[in-house]
């Protein structure tokens, strides 16, 4: 009898608890949180699935109905507090009920960067806007990351609002961040702590004293530069630089390094420079002028006490071409222009796992559609003139044959390319590091007479490049 009473009591208690829970559920207040759209999140995404509960999402909307977005502020691609303050001011002015908050992070790279994004999510700072990452293999790894983790911008760019963003960049710039027909990032316009880089190009500064003869004689080759040195022999002219590196040599060969591979603009194909006698002959010529004292190193316009010698005919800078860092008495001359090859690393995009990704895309549009605000966000200082010049430059260059091209290579092939690039870079840097005897000339002979076997990676690249060009012209 007692056992039956106990059973009845337990059943009665269970009914009371169930009724209380149902009543609590029915009276729970409805939040104003944005309901995430999960229709096109990549299934293979490696950074946080969009599985936040409504209660978690509600914490991102304040009492005034403003949604707070998290912008990951990476050390190597950071946005200033001044810039984000202006962003929030413009958002409010436009009636967009959103506040962007910066979350500073350290200089993590590669897989550590992915782990960091996961850690932020676990700490209640789930990222919405992020850089595309920093990778040891550059765009090869960066492309894999954006395809798996970032939200495509194509639909937004096709809208009237998105077209304002599109027009603030050149078509070739958009091509450089296109992956299999999809755009995941806003193009990055390179930054520096000392200024804004106007053009990504191989270039040199020409002394205005010799400008007229330079424009008459120079044809892009080192032979013509050597001829100019002889023409003004009475002045004992020199070529001055901080260090001699491969970019200047490539510029004289009309080549560009594109994602660790070397592209020959004259041949319109990729070439293995470790087997290129043109490079050997060029370095021999340059080295002989170095032996003769016609090339002087250790000169950097970026150093406070550094002075470019008065008898400099051509100055080779050790950094990018700065719009706000003109050299008095010199005119910049571009050897090879920016080709806008595939480059998604560091560019900013929106995580596909963000429950507020549509709003985050809209915020990107606001940030990068206006030249003033875009320059402030991208360069940490407002420079509308430089921004418009860059856009004009990109549009004038047009979409070249390699714009957006990235070969599909195996891990071993990518490693091979980087080994070759390191070999060429060392080959050039040793030119001024081995003294003025004949040691470097002997080193050149050994290097080119006994080239290392790097396999058929350039054949693979050129086969894919040919197919790419054919598809682009259809």
């Amino acid at each position: 009898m007692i056992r039956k009473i106990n059973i009845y009591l337990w059943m009665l208690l269970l009914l009371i608890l169930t009724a209380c829970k149902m009543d609590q559920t029915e009276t729970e207040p409805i939040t104003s949180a944005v309901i995430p759209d999960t229709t096109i999140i990549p299934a293979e995404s490696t950074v946080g699935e969009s599985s936040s509960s409504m209660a978690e999402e509600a914490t991102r909307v304040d009492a005034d109905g403003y949604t707070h977005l998290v912008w990951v502020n990476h050390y190597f691609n950071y946005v200033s507090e001044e810039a984000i303050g202006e962003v929030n001011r413009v958002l409010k002015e436009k009636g967009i009920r959103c506040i962007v908050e910066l979350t500073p992070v350290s200089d993590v790279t590669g897989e550590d960067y992915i782990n960091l994004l996961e850690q932020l999510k676990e700490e209640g700072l789930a990222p919405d806007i992020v850089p595309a990452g920093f990778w040891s293999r550059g765009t090869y790894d960066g492309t894999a990351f954006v395809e798996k983790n970032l939200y495509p911008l194509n639909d937004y760019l096709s809208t009237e609002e998105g077209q304002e963003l599109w027009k603030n960049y050149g078509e070739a710039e958009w091509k450089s961040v296109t992956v299999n027909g999809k755009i995941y990032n806003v193009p990055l316009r390179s930054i520096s702590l000392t200024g804004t880089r106007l053009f990504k190009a191989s270039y040199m500064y020409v002394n205005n004293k010799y400008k007229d003869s330079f424009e008459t004689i120079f044809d892009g080759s080192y032979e013509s530069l050597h001829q100019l040195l002889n023409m003004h022999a009475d002045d004992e002219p020199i070529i001055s630089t901080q260090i001699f590196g491969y970019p200047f040599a490539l510029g004289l060969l009309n080549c560009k390094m594109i994602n660790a591979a070397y592209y020959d603009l004259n041949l319109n194909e990729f070439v293995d420079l470790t087997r290129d006698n043109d490079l050997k002959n060029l370095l021999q010529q340059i080295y002989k002028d170095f032996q003769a004292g016609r090339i002087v190193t250790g000169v950097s316009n970026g150093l406070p006490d550094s002075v470019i010698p008065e008898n400099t005919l051509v100055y080779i800078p050790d950094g990018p071409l700065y719009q706000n860092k003109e050299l008095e008495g010199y005119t910049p001359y571009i050897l090879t222009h920016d080709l806008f090859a595939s480059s998604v690393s560091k560019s900013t995009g929106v995580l596909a796992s963000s429950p507020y990704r549509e709003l985050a895309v809209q915020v990107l549009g606001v940030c990068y559609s206006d030249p003033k605000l875009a320059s402030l966000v991208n360069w940490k200082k407002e420079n509308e003139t430089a921004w418009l010049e860059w856009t004009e430059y990109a549009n004038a260059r047009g979409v070249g044959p390699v714009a957006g091209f990235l070969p599909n290579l195996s891990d071993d092939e990518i490693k091979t390319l980087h080994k070759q690039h390191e070999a060429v870079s060392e080959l050039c840097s040793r030119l001024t590091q081995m003294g003025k005897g004949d040691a470097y000339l002997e080193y050149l002979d050994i290097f080119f007479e006994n080239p290392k076997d790097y396999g058929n990676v350039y054949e693979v690249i050129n086969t894919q490049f040919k197919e790419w060009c054919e598809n682009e012209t259809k």
Side-chain angles (χ1 to χ4, degrees):
M1 183 68 176
I2 294 174
R3 182 180 178 187
K4 288 183 179 180
I5 292 173
N6 286 337
I7 292 174
Y8 291 146
L9 287 174
W10 276 110
M11 290 179 65
L12 179 61
L13 180 61
L14 181 61
L15 289 171
I16 292 172
L17 289 173
T18 302
C20 289
K21 185 174 181 179
M22 289 177 62
D23 182 64
Q24 181 183 10
T25 302
E26 291 171 358
T27 59
E28 185 176 349
I30 300 174
T31 71
S32 57
V34 177
I35 300 175
D37 173 12
T38 59
T39 55
I40 60 173
I41 295 179
E44 68 275 21
S45 176
T46 57
V47 180
E49 296 299 328
S50 181
S51 58
S52 301
S53 69
M54 291 296 291
E56 289 173 333
E57 289 175 31
T59 63
R60 303 279 294 277
V61 181
D62 62 25
D64 296 322
Y66 281 83
T67 301
H68 291 245
L69 295 184
V70 175
W71 186 316
V72 171
N73 207 16
H74 198 284
Y75 177 80
F76 289 129
N77 189 22
Y78 70 93
V79 180
S80 69
E81 291 291 344
E82 177 191 359
I84 217 65
E86 182 64 11
V87 167
N88 285 325
R89 185 193 69 77
V90 173
L91 289 172
K92 185 175 182 179
E93 184 180 86
K94 289 180 175 292
I96 301 174
R97 302 181 73 79
C98 171
I99 296 176
V100 180
E101 297 173 347
L102 293 174
T103 297
V105 298
S106 60
D107 55 348
V108 292
T109 60
E111 291 298 318
D112 290 337
Y113 179 62
I114 294 178
N115 294 336
L116 174 66
L117 296 181
E118 283 289 354
Q119 180 182 341
L120 290 174
K121 184 173 182 291
E122 293 172 1
E123 294 173 355
L125 295 171
D128 302 292
I129 299 173
V130 298
F134 304 80
W135 312 91
S136 60
R137 302 190 307 181
T139 297
Y140 295 102
D141 290 339
T143 297
F145 173 81
V146 301
E147 281 197 290
K148 289 181 179 179
N149 298 291
L150 298 192
Y151 184 68
L153 305 178
N154 298 59
D155 289 345
Y156 176 77
L157 290 171
S158 66
T159 65
E160 182 177 348
E161 189 178 82
Q163 280 298 297
E164 293 302 311
L165 172 59
W166 177 274
K167 289 186 294 186
N168 208 29
Y169 294 84
E171 184 179 353
E173 290 181 279
W174 287 113
K175 193 74 173 177
S176 71
V177 293
T178 299
V179 179
N180 294 323
K182 293 184 179 181
I183 296 173
Y184 297 92
N185 339 56
V186 175
L188 175 72
R189 288 186 171 174
S190 300
I191 59 175
S192 169
L193 296 178
T194 55
T196 59
R197 185 163 69 177
L198 186 59
F199 305 138
K200 183 180 179 182
S202 299
Y203 66 100
M204 56 189 176
Y205 286 100
V206 179
N207 191 330
N208 289 340
K209 177 181 177 181
Y210 307 104
K211 183 180 177 183
D212 290 341
S213 58
F214 175 87
E215 291 178 346
T216 302
I217 301 297
F218 186 70
D219 61 5
S221 67
Y222 188 76
E223 288 88 346
S224 60
L225 205 55
H226 180 81
Q227 184 180 345
L228 282 164
L229 292 173
N230 290 334
M231 181 183 296
H232 300 281
D234 292 344
D235 295 340
E236 298 183 346
I238 62 172
I239 296 172
S240 62
T241 183
Q242 168 65 20
I243 56 174
F244 182 81
Y246 73 89
F248 182 63
L250 292 186
L252 292 169
L253 290 173
N254 207 23
C255 285
K256 291 286 287 186
M257 197 272 285
I258 298 176
N259 292 311
Y262 297 104
Y263 172 70
D264 189 313
L265 283 81
N266 296 324
L267 300 175
N268 190 31
E269 65 180 30
F270 290 83
V271 295
D272 179 0
L273 290 183
T274 63
R275 297 171 178 268
D276 192 326
N277 283 327
D278 287 342
L279 176 60
K280 179 183 178 181
N281 294 334
L282 171 63
L283 294 178
Q284 285 176 333
Q285 292 173 342
I286 293 175
Y287 184 69
K288 289 176 181 178
D289 278 334
F290 175 67
Q291 286 179 309
R294 288 180 158 188
I295 294 180
V296 176
T297 60
V299 179
S300 174
N301 187 56
L303 299 176
D305 300 326
S306 179
V307 178
I308 299 177
E310 291 184 2
N311 62 330
T312 294
L313 188 148
V314 167
Y315 171 68
I316 307 169
D318 54 315
L321 174 60
Y322 296 114
Q323 188 274 339
N324 66 336
K325 190 179 177 183
E326 297 179 356
L327 294 184
E328 184 178 354
Y330 286 80
T331 299
Y333 181 87
I334 294 176
L335 288 169
T336 53
H337 289 269
D338 190 344
L339 300 181
F340 301 101
S342 180
S343 179
V344 300
S345 296
K346 303 180 185 178
S347 303
T348 303
V350 172
L351 274 182
S353 60
S354 166
Y356 306 104
R357 56 184 175 275
E358 298 289 354
L359 179 60
V361 169
Q362 188 179 12
V363 168
L364 283 187
V366 170
C367 290
Y368 295 105
S369 293
D370 177 74
K372 288 184 179 180
L373 187 56
S375 60
L376 180 60
V377 173
N378 201 148
W379 295 332
K380 295 176 286 296
K381 65 179 182 178
E382 188 179 298
N383 195 333
E384 180 180 12
T385 300
W387 191 273
L388 293 174
E389 286 178 352
W390 188 317
T391 304
E392 182 180 359
Y393 169 77
N395 285 324
R397 295 305 306 164
V399 179
V402 296
F405 172 70
L406 184 72
N408 182 18
L409 303 176
S410 67
D411 288 345
D412 287 341
E413 288 168 338
I414 295 173
K415 290 178 182 177
T416 295
L417 277 184
H418 280 86
K419 288 179 181 178
Q420 285 179 303
H421 170 57
E422 290 169 3
V424 172
S425 178
E426 183 179 6
L427 181 70
C428 293
S429 62
R430 283 197 182 191
L431 188 146
T432 58
Q433 295 174 356
M434 297 181 70
K436 294 185 177 181
D438 291 331
Y440 183 72
L441 295 176
E442 294 171 1
Y443 168 66
L444 278 179
D445 288 336
I446 295 173
F447 185 95
F448 285 98
E449 289 173 6
N450 302 281
K452 290 185 178 181
D453 183 6
Y454 291 108
N456 67 338
V457 63
Y458 272 88
E459 293 178 20
V460 173
I461 293 174
N462 280 315
T463 297
Q464 294 184 20
F465 181 56
K466 183 179 179 180
E467 295 174 355
W468 161 272
C469 291
E470 291 174 351
N471 290 332
E472 290 296 299
T473 56
K474 287 181 179 179

